[in-house]
Amino acid sequence: MSFPICATCGTQFAESVSPPAACPICEDERQYVGWSGQIWTNHEALSAKYKLHLDEEARLLTIGLEPAFAINQRALYLPTDAGNILWECLSLVTPEAVAAIKARGGLDYIVISHPHFYASMVEWSEALGGVPILLHEADKAWVLRPSPHIRFWSGDEYKLSDTVTLIRCGGHFDGSTALHWKRGREGGALFPGDALQVVMDRRHVTFMYSYPNYIPMRPGDVRHIQSRMQGYEFTDLFGFSARRNIIGGAREAVDRSFDRYFKAIAE
Ligand SMILES: [Zn+2]
Ligand SMILES: [Zn+2]
């Protein structure tokens, strides 16, 4: 089996004759090993069993696996003035998805919030002609399929243009990143991965070190995210999975959520 993919987290590994003994992402306390033990698959097996579902949410193209696979995140296609960005990544890439992206003008960057969504990022980059993948260097150790297409950025902020900024939030992972896009009359949009997690009421976000294992985020890390978010205006916030969005009033919702979090943990 070449380029094994972990069936629980969806991460693709470097080429190997036999799959690794364990998946470090799943063995980490932020994730979990599947209840049937470590299971490996690969891109070929996924393409036989899954399709990519292309949809539109709040006028943005979204892409996800169908049926649901692993953490089940979605990717979003952002046509910005910094270039066309694929925000987050998936374990499967298909010729149909590549054609749909090419029809919209191709891809200039793949940007990923944190290691849980690295997925098959190199496969995606190569399928679209070697697209640069931007990752925060603090999470370098979690790259399990290295590639010359990966570019690490450092510091707390990385401006791709006057309207697109990558913001290092930390907390969930040291390099956990949100993308802020200052759109025109539609108002700004925030793409925080799960550094700020849109909750089920879709009117708040929350902050956890581990979502599946319910390990709360340290209050100091939440304070840090709060200060990192200062000065960014946004109307809409797009969460990690399909339809998990706050459309309209998202900045106020985030402010309310910080208050709610600190009130909830107060003595
Ligand atoms: Zn895994
Ligand atoms: Zn995560």
Side-chain angles (χ1 to χ4, degrees), residues 6-11 13 23 25-26 31 38:
C6 170
T8 303
C9 69
T11 307
F13 284 60
C23 169
I25 301 260
C26 287
Q31 248 289 109
Q38 178 64 48

Side-chain angles (χ1 to χ4, degrees), residues 10-210:
T11 307
Q12 189 182 47
F13 284 60
E15 191 163 32
S16 62
V17 180
S18 54
C23 169
I25 301 260
C26 287
E27 299 236 311
D28 177 65
E29 64 178 355
R30 283 163 285 200
Q31 248 289 109
Y32 60 94
V33 176
W35 294 6
S36 307
Q38 178 64 48
I39 292 172
W40 298 100
T41 182
N42 61 29
H43 196 264
E44 197 187 4
L46 285 185
S47 54
K49 204 171 150 198
Y50 295 87
K51 285 195 308 221
L52 287 182
H53 176 61
L54 276 62
D55 206 350
E56 199 170 292
E57 290 179 26
R59 294 174 302 281
L60 292 177
L61 172 68
T62 68
I63 312 172
L65 265 70
E66 205 173 63
F69 174 70
I71 300 176
N72 200 31
Q73 74 272 17
R74 48 87 181 271
L76 288 129
Y77 181 79
L78 315 180
T80 77
D81 71 350
N84 297 326
I85 298 171
L86 186 73
W87 169 250
E88 310 292 25
C89 212
L90 305 166
S91 300
L92 173 67
V93 52
T94 62
E96 293 75 21
V98 168
I101 285 173
K102 283 185 175 166
R104 283 170 168 80
L107 206 57
D108 298 293
Y109 299 103
I110 296 169
V111 188
I112 306 176
S113 63
H114 74 298
H116 287 154
F117 304 153
Y118 287 175
S120 297
M121 57 182 173
V122 178
E123 202 85 34
W124 270 89
S125 166
E126 290 177 356
L128 282 142
V131 178
I133 304 165
L134 305 184
L135 307 177
H136 197 281
E137 69 161 3
D139 295 334
K140 201 176 196 167
W142 295 101
V143 172
L144 296 162
R145 181 178 172 188
S147 159
H149 303 307
I150 298 172
R151 294 186 198 163
F152 294 102
W153 64 279
S154 53
D156 282 341
E157 230 179 61
Y158 182 56
K159 273 191 172 303
L160 284 178
S161 73
D162 285 345
T163 64
V164 180
T165 307
L166 308 186
I167 307 159
R168 179 196 187 181
C169 295
H172 178 49
F173 271 81
D174 285 347
S176 274
T177 295
L179 185 151
H180 181 261
W181 180 16
K182 202 193 281 179
R183 299 177 299 182
R185 53 194 166 80
E186 288 171 298
L190 189 74
F191 303 85
D194 57 8
L196 297 80
Q197 170 90 300
V198 178
V199 297
M200 290 304 278
D201 67 15
R202 301 196 302 169
R203 293 184 296 114
H204 296 85
V205 294
T206 196
F207 316 91
M208 298 282 269
Y209 179 69
S210 168

